Amino acid sequence: MVSIRIKYLSDKIEKLRYIDGKSDWIDLRAAERVKLKAGEFRLIPLGIAMELPKGYEAHIVPRSSTFKNFGVIQTNHCGIVDESYCGDNDQWFFPALAMRDTVIDVNDRICQFRIFEHQPAISFDEAETLGNDDRGGIGSTGKN
């Protein structure tokens, strides 16, 4: 099991917990109350900083219920935090754009993350043809 050092920057949010057997994503919570009008943008503090192990990164995405419950979308669609963002004040944030007037309260679960290993080093070999059957282009699930 990998151990990760975490610093809580708010005593108002629940501690992170991994729910074994249910999901390998971990919920993140709003660390302060945020009121947004439709069209407003805000970096919502998540109340944590972490020291990820060397060679790992965190991917932060909205929960499936975030838009339904709060009417916000994550402006970068998937936030990436690498192991270099590991200082005491390197707080994680959720960049939110409100599509309707909304209020997000302290401790509301608004996004989630999981840890991935960095992509291995790769090279690209140019080819005249890939030698595979065409599936029909973008938006296709293949030929019948």
Side-chain angles (χ1 to χ4, degrees):
M1 177 180 294
V2 175
S3 181
I4 296 175
R5 292 176 5 138
I6 184 169
K7 179 179 178 182
Y8 288 93
L9 304 169
S10 170
D11 59 0
K12 297 176 183 168
I13 59 171
E14 288 184 30
K15 305 288 188 203
L16 296 187
R17 64 179 191 261
Y18 178 78
I19 304 171
D20 192 26
K22 195 167 185 185
S23 174
D24 59 355
W25 289 83
I26 300 167
D27 289 336
L28 293 165
R29 299 167 182 273
E32 66 183 45
R33 188 170 198 263
V34 175
K35 291 174 71 172
L36 293 167
K37 299 279 187 199
E40 287 185 331
F41 170 80
R42 177 84 183 272
L43 287 173
I44 300 173
L46 300 172
I48 61 164
M50 282 191 216
E51 182 182 11
L52 298 174
K54 184 173 173 53
Y56 286 84
E57 62 195 27
H59 292 201
I60 303 169
V61 298
R63 298 181 76 241
S64 60
S65 61
T66 297
F67 185 78
K68 175 183 66 91
N69 291 342
F70 305 108
V72 298
I73 58 174
Q74 183 174 342
T75 58
N76 60 357
H77 304 291
C78 177
I80 309 296
V81 177
D82 69 21
E83 74 270 21
S84 70
Y85 193 69
C86 60
D88 283 341
N89 295 306
D90 287 340
Q91 179 167 207
W92 291 16
F93 289 88
F94 180 80
L97 176 64
M99 304 308 290
R100 62 174 165 81
D101 293 358
T102 191
V103 175
I104 299 170
D105 286 315
V106 171
N107 216 37
D108 279 344
R109 296 179 300 161
I110 58 171
C111 55
Q112 58 191 337
F113 79 99
R114 70 185 294 196
I115 306 295
F116 291 92
E117 286 189 73
H118 287 286
Q119 176 173 286
I122 59 173
S123 65
F124 295 98
D125 299 324
E126 192 171 338
E128 292 292 321
T129 179
L130 299 178
N132 302 312
D133 292 337
D134 285 333
R135 292 192 36 185
I138 192 165
S140 171
T141 57
K143 295 179 182 177
N144 291 337

